[in-house]
Amino acid sequence: MRRDWNLSIDIDRRAPLALSQQIAQAIIEKIRLGLLRPGEALPGTRELAARLALNRKTVVTAYDELAAQGWLLAQGKRGTFVSPQLPAPARAATPAERDVEAGLPAADYAVYGTPWTPADTAGRELIEFSDGVPDSRIVAFDALSSAFRRALIETVRGNLLGYGDPRGLLALRERIAAMLRHERGLHADAQTLCLVRGSQMGIYLAARVLVQPGDVVAIERLSYPPARAAFEACGARVVAIEQDAAGLLPEALEQLCRRQRLRAIYLTPHHQFPTTVTLPADRRLRLLALAEQFGFVIVEDDYDHEFHFAGTPLLPMASIDRCGKVMYVGSLSKVLAPGLRVGYVVAPEPVIARLAGAVMQIDRQGNAVTERAVVELFDSGELARHIRRARRIYAQRRQLTMHWLREQLAGALSFREPDGGLALWLQLAPALDVARLQRDALAEHVGILPGSTFRDDGAAVNALRLGYGGLDERELLRGLQGLQRAILRQRPAGA
Ligand SMILES: Cc1ncc(COP(=O)(O)O)c(C=O)c1O
C-alpha cells in the first residue's frame, strides 16, 4: 500500500522524553486510536526525519524499537508497515461508541432527517428478490469502457472538465430529448430537459420546486417509499389515495381535491410501483382533466419505460398533457445501470430554470465524463443495442419466473401477468402470513419484500413485490426454490 499522505507527529524539543521515544509513543497512540491501521505503510525514515527536522538516526531508533515490540514490521526496501498481526480496532456496538473509539466526540447537537441504515446482509449469502432492479452485469463492458475512454479524451480536449451547465451536457440533453420525442411522443428539447443523478434526484428536485411546507401532495396508497420521503422532506403533507386492480381511483382523487387544495400527485402510471399495473387510458385522461380543473401538478415517474413486454405501450401522460400540468421524470438506471446515475426531468423551460437553480445548490452539475460517455453510447447505437438485448434477457427471466410460480406455487399465490417492468406483484393465499414468510425465506437465504413495505402506515398487505430482473436464471431458480420451502413451512404440501 502506498503512503502518499504526511503522518502528523508533534515533537516537543523541550520535553524530558527522548525524541525517538516521543516518535514511538505518537505512533503507538495512532495505532491504538485506529488512525494507523494494521498493514498501513509508514513514511520512510529519511522522509520523516526531514519533515520533523531531526537526525535520521532518531527516527530509525524509534522504528527499530517499535518493530522489536511488535508494533511495526520492517520489510527491507518495501518499507515499514504497521504490523498486520495486530488486531483491527474492535467494532464498537453503537455508532456513538464507534465515534468515541475512533477519537471523534459523540455529536453534541441535534440533527434532522431520517437516518440511512445499511441493509443487514453481512455474512449471509442471500438471493435477493429486489423491488425491480436491473442486472448491471449484463451491460456490454467493452462498449462501456470504450465509450468512457473516448469521453475522457473528448472532455479533456474540449475543455469540458471544468464547471458547466447545471442542466447537464448539452449534447446529452439533445440526445435524450430526441429519444423522448421519437419514442414517447414528448415535446422535449434541450431547453426543457434537465439532467439529474437518477430519477430519485428528479423526484426530490420536483418536490423542492413544487412544495412549500404544509402543501398537500397525493400518492397512491401503495407507492414508492423514497418518493414519499422526498416530498415529506420538502415539507409536504402526503395523503394516500386508494387504488384498485387497474390502479389509482380518479374518484378518490377528486374527493380529496374537493376537500382540500392539492399541490401535486406523484404517480408511476406506466408500471405502477409496486403493483405493476398499467394505468388505463381513460383514467389518465380523467387525471389530466382533474389536474386542469383543480390546478395540481402530476409528477410522472417513468422509471422503467423500456421494459414493456406485452401489447403496445401507452405513451406517457406527459405526451398528452396539453395544459402544462405534468413534470416527467425518467432515468437510464434501469436501462443501463443504476451506478451511472443519469436521469432527467422534462418540464416547461421556466420550471427547468428552477430545477437548475436547485442543482446549483446541491451538487452544482453532473459528471461531465459520464454524460459524455452516454452520448457516445447513443451515437454508436450501443444504447439501442443494449436495450434490445436487455429486453430479450429480461423477457426470458420473466417467463421463467412466471412459469415456475404457476407450476409450483399456484395454490399459494396468484398474480396478474404485468405488461412490463422487472417485477411481479404476488398475492398470497389468505392462509399465509407474509411477515412469517419473510422470516422463513430469510432462513432459506432468500430476501423478499412484503407489500407492507410500500404503504405509508406499514399496515399488513398480503402480497409481495418480486423483482426478477437482477437475478440470472440459476439465481432465480435458487431463490424460487427457497421461497417455495419457506411457503411449505407454513403450508405443508397437501395441506
Ligand atoms: C419507482 C422508482 N422511481 C425511482 C427510482 C429511482 O431510480 P434512479 O434514481 O436510479 O433513477 C426507482 C428505483 O428503483 C424506482 O423503482
Side-chain angles (χ1 to χ4, degrees):
M1 197 197 308
R2 288 185 51 142
R3 150 137 233 121
D4 291 327
W5 314 111
N6 292 335
L7 187 67
S8 67
I9 289 182
D10 284 337
I11 295 292
D12 183 354
R13 288 168 197 281
R14 283 165 308 186
L17 199 62
L19 293 173
S20 62
Q21 283 193 19
Q22 289 189 41
I23 296 172
Q25 278 191 0
I27 290 175
I28 290 172
E29 189 61 7
K30 283 181 193 296
I31 293 173
R32 286 195 321 119
L33 286 173
L35 299 173
L36 271 175
R37 310 239 160 133
E40 283 188 337
L42 275 96
T45 49
R46 203 182 304 273
E47 178 197 329
L48 187 58
R51 227 167 3 87
L52 299 176
L54 294 174
N55 189 315
R56 182 175 165 218
K57 207 162 168 302
T58 311
V59 180
V60 173
T61 308
Y63 278 20
D64 285 350
E65 183 63 23
L66 290 173
Q69 292 174 15
W71 293 99
L72 300 185
L73 180 71
Q75 291 215 308
K77 284 213 169 80
R78 284 194 60 227
T80 303
F81 298 81
V82 178
S83 168
Q85 312 295 344
L86 292 178
R91 222 185 117 99
T94 67
E97 282 167 14
R98 191 154 64 244
D99 286 351
V100 170
E101 187 160 296
L104 266 184
D108 187 25
Y109 43 83
V111 283
Y112 306 112
T114 319
W116 171 80
T117 40
D120 178 22
T121 52
R124 265 187 279 157
E125 263 287 307
L126 209 60
I127 300 279
E128 292 254 29
F129 284 108
S130 69
D131 67 2
V133 302
D135 189 345
S136 31
R137 297 171 297 186
I138 68 172
V139 172
F141 172 76
D142 289 343
L144 201 61
S145 58
S146 60
F148 265 94
R149 188 169 178 280
R150 276 200 303 276
L152 192 57
I153 294 169
E154 282 183 30
T155 41
V156 173
R157 279 201 189 133
N159 194 18
L160 293 171
L161 264 184
Y163 289 114
D165 191 320
R167 294 170 302 175
L169 203 68
L170 175 64
L172 183 54
R173 284 188 279 133
E174 285 171 346
R175 301 309 187 275
I176 293 177
M179 174 191 77
L180 296 177
R181 283 196 304 275
H182 301 156
E183 293 216 328
R184 304 188 200 172
L186 258 74
H187 293 277
D189 60 30
Q191 310 312 315
T192 56
L193 188 147
C194 182
L195 294 175
V196 288
R197 267 49 73 205
S199 41
Q200 182 61 36
M201 178 168 167
I203 297 164
Y204 182 75
L205 290 185
R208 277 280 299 276
V209 302
L210 290 176
V211 172
Q212 298 238 303
D215 282 350
V216 177
V217 171
I219 58 167
E220 287 146 300
R221 172 69 68 197
L222 291 160
S223 184
Y224 184 55
R228 183 190 303 126
F231 281 101
E232 281 174 350
C234 294
R237 193 159 67 73
V238 176
V239 176
I241 304 291
E242 297 306 330
Q243 57 206 119
D244 66 8
L248 178 101
L249 287 165
E251 317 70 275
L253 185 65
E254 183 171 354
Q255 276 170 19
L256 175 75
C257 292
R258 294 200 180 282
R259 282 199 312 275
Q260 46 196 310
R261 195 173 141 61
L262 180 66
R263 176 63 174 138
I265 180 165
Y266 164 82
L267 281 178
T268 47
H270 196 46
H271 306 131
Q272 203 274 342
F273 190 103
T275 62
T276 73
V277 291
T278 300
L279 192 68
D282 58 324
R283 292 199 188 183
R284 293 176 184 228
L285 291 171
R286 186 83 195 93
L287 271 171
L288 284 165
L290 287 174
E292 196 184 349
Q293 183 183 351
F294 292 102
F296 61 82
V297 180
I298 298 173
V299 178
E300 180 177 23
D301 177 4
D302 202 4
Y303 61 104
D304 64 355
H305 186 90
E306 291 79 2
F307 300 128
H308 203 79
F309 303 105
T312 316
L314 283 175
L315 293 181
M317 293 178 67
S319 70
I320 49 169
D321 170 28
R322 296 286 165 265
C323 309
K325 290 294 183 201
V326 180
M327 282 180 83
Y328 182 76
V329 182
S331 175
L332 298 184
S333 284
K334 299 287 192 283
V335 92
L336 259 179
L340 289 179
R341 307 312 298 147
V342 179
Y344 47 89
V345 180
V346 177
E349 217 174 318
V351 179
I352 293 295
R354 299 294 176 117
L355 291 173
V359 170
M360 289 292 289
Q361 295 165 6
I362 299 172
D363 70 343
R364 181 59 181 75
Q365 67 192 63
N367 180 318
V369 180
T370 302
E371 291 180 3
R372 183 71 226 172
V374 177
V375 172
E376 295 283 332
L377 293 172
F378 268 93
D379 291 354
S380 62
E382 284 295 343
L383 182 63
R385 242 189 310 283
H386 172 71
I387 293 173
R388 286 197 294 274
R389 195 169 143 262
R391 223 187 257 133
R392 272 199 307 276
I393 293 174
Y394 294 137
Q396 281 166 4
R397 294 181 183 180
R398 173 181 135 97
Q399 279 312 330
L400 181 149
T401 309
M402 293 195 304
H403 180 75
W404 201 95
L405 290 171
R406 284 191 185 118
E407 290 288 310
Q408 307 289 331
L409 289 175
L413 50 84
S414 61
F415 61 93
R416 266 190 19 180
E417 182 167 330
D419 288 345
L422 300 180
L424 302 174
W425 180 247
L426 308 180
Q427 296 284 350
L428 299 183
L432 285 174
D433 172 22
V434 66
R436 175 164 170 209
L437 184 61
Q438 187 183 25
R439 285 195 302 276
D440 289 344
L442 214 51
E444 298 286 349
H445 305 284
V446 174
I448 54 171
L449 288 170
S452 57
T453 318
F454 310 109
R455 275 183 73 112
D456 53 344
D457 55 5
V461 178
N462 221 27
L464 305 177
R465 182 163 161 100
L466 197 86
Y468 59 80
L471 302 173
D472 66 24
E473 300 197 354
R474 217 168 47 93
E475 293 163 338
L476 275 175
L477 285 174
R478 272 178 52 207
L480 290 168
Q481 284 157 358
L483 179 64
Q484 183 178 37
R485 284 193 298 276
I487 287 177
L488 285 175
R489 289 188 188 202
Q490 280 189 58
R491 198 174 182 279

